[in-house]
Amino acid sequence: MSRGELLQPGILSCQGCGAALAMKLAMMGLGKRTIVVIPACCWTIILGVYPYSALQVPVIHVPFETAAVVASGVRAALDMRGEKDVEVMAWAGDGGTFDIGLQALSGAAERNDDILYVCYDNEAYMNTGIQRSSATPIGAWTTTTPAGSLKKEPKKDLEKIMMGHSIPYLATLSVAYPDDAVKKFRRARTIRGTKFLHILSPCPPGWRIDPSQSIRTARLATLSNVFPLYEVVDGKLELSLIPEKTVPVKEYLECQGRFKGITPEMEDLLQRNVDRKWEELLAEAEKERQALS
Ligand SMILES: Cc1ncc(C[n+]2csc(CCOP(=O)(O)OP(=O)(O)O)c2C)c(N)n1
Ligand code: SF4
């Protein structure tokens, strides 16, 4: 894999930040003719302080809830100028996507605006000190789900919501599978209409892991089917990876301090939800496979 030279050294992330690596992979897949729209999130900081920027492409910082709508506006302006070869990427955290930016994202997707929307998912509002978002899993500690009242609600199924918009391309990615991730960014670039990519990006301070364990933790998320990797192209689902041997969810939970207080009942529920979702994905992928044969 060649170096991601569009993301320069000197970024202001914590050590082992999955979100930083995610951007490096995005830039490797997308290339120079890209404009990046970033709402309030850790990446507002990671990039560096104006007038400096670690990204060698134009970046627009926008209010928290407006990533998708600003990206749509930039797209419209580029279209008027005839600059069809420029990809507009909205790049937001899970708080900015699953919660506060969802309405703007839904609007763009319903219009099928030609933008790439990427959610880097660290499963909480990390930039403001680790608060619960609707992407936070059951049983996770955050500063708003302290010991004794850990999150009881399951993570919102954003893929289902986005698939309900019939967009031409949706994919899940992980920083632990960089080749797969770069391939999906490249593919997204070739597709016109709204593309939605969801990339799992561990956050060592928020997940209570050692920075050296970021990639291992992300890999366990996929090997336990907590975060399966797949693509949906024009409504057809294809799994990117089927683990040879599935790891119990427990193993994924045990390597992170944020799940230290999880109850056996919550753990059970999480495992059951993961199994059900995986069965659904397998069935959908098999249906598509049979339709093709
Ligand atoms: C309307 C509005 N509400 C709250 C904030 C404060 N704020 C800035 S960043 C942030 C957290 C962003 O969380 P997320 O989107 O998950 O990205 P992460 O910080 O995890 O990278 C919050 C709450 C804001 N800037 N604007
Ligand atoms: S708090 Fe988490 S997401 Fe934010 S820069 Fe640090 S490691 Fe990255």
Side-chain angles (χ1 to χ4, degrees):
M1 190 175 281
S2 62
R3 288 197 65 222
E5 68 278 353
L6 293 174
L7 177 60
Q8 296 286 301
I11 54 168
L12 302 179
S13 71
C14 314
Q15 282 188 338
C17 174
L21 179 54
M23 180 65 92
K24 180 174 167 123
L25 300 173
M27 286 296 112
M28 287 167 99
L30 296 174
K32 221 175 166 47
R33 298 285 285 164
T34 305
I35 294 176
V36 182
V37 178
I38 304 185
C41 59
C42 271
W43 250 98
T44 324
I45 309 298
I46 295 173
L47 195 62
V49 180
Y50 183 83
Y52 303 106
S53 169
L55 272 180
Q56 301 301 291
V57 296
V59 176
I60 309 176
H61 290 286
V62 301
F64 207 1
E65 65 279 25
T66 63
V69 72
V70 173
S72 293
V74 174
R75 174 80 268 153
L78 288 167
D79 286 349
M80 285 188 76
R81 289 162 56 136
E83 296 195 56
K84 301 274 184 204
D85 65 322
V86 178
E87 188 66 50
V88 184
M89 174 171 74
W91 179 270
D94 49 290
T97 305
F98 282 64
D99 300 333
I100 193 163
L102 188 58
Q103 182 259 109
L105 172 58
S106 174
E110 191 272 332
R111 293 186 302 270
N112 198 23
D113 288 345
D114 184 16
I115 61 167
L116 167 60
Y117 190 105
V118 182
C119 172
Y120 70 91
D121 185 5
N122 50 31
E123 301 190 320
Y125 292 76
M126 296 306 181
N127 181 246
T128 38
I130 321 175
Q131 293 91 24
R132 161 211 200 278
S133 80
S134 57
T136 304
I138 295 171
W141 165 91
T142 67
T143 50
T144 44
T145 52
S149 44
L150 298 169
K151 191 169 185 261
K152 293 169 200 66
E153 304 78 17
K155 178 170 180 159
K156 189 185 280 182
D157 192 340
L158 193 61
E159 275 76 28
K160 272 208 177 134
I161 294 175
M162 293 313 294
M163 275 167 357
H165 291 74
S166 305
I167 53 174
Y169 188 61
L170 174 149
T172 58
L173 298 71
S174 165
V175 292
Y177 295 89
D179 291 331
D180 178 71
V182 173
K183 197 183 80 194
K184 286 169 175 166
F185 278 108
R186 284 211 180 105
R187 183 159 204 182
R189 218 203 141 105
T190 65
I191 294 171
R192 301 278 62 88
T194 305
K195 290 86 60 173
F196 178 77
L197 301 187
H198 182 190
I199 180 159
L200 187 70
S201 311
C203 164
W207 291 20
R208 296 298 194 241
I209 53 174
D210 188 86
S212 66
Q213 297 303 302
S214 260
I215 301 301
R216 178 173 170 262
T217 311
R219 192 171 298 121
L220 283 176
T222 294
L223 295 180
S224 60
N225 295 333
V226 167
F227 197 88
L229 300 182
Y230 58 93
E231 285 179 301
V232 185
V233 186
D234 291 327
K236 296 174 188 63
L237 188 142
E238 195 178 324
L239 291 163
S240 314
L241 184 134
I242 300 181
E244 266 176 38
K245 188 172 177 303
T246 303
V247 167
V249 171
K250 197 177 178 55
E251 201 174 313
Y252 168 67
L253 303 177
E254 277 175 358
C255 68
Q256 303 168 66
R258 66 176 170 154
F259 292 110
K260 218 159 79 186
I262 195 169
T263 62
E265 294 74 31
M266 283 174 166
E267 207 174 286
D268 237 39
L269 181 58
L270 193 48
Q271 179 75 64
R272 273 188 279 127
N273 286 351
V274 164
D275 291 345
R276 194 186 54 233
K277 176 88 195 276
W278 179 244
E279 290 303 322
E280 276 174 24
L281 287 173
L282 277 179
E284 187 62 30
E286 179 57 22
K287 204 173 81 192
E288 292 306 333
R289 211 187 55 74
Q290 283 190 3
L292 284 175
S293 62

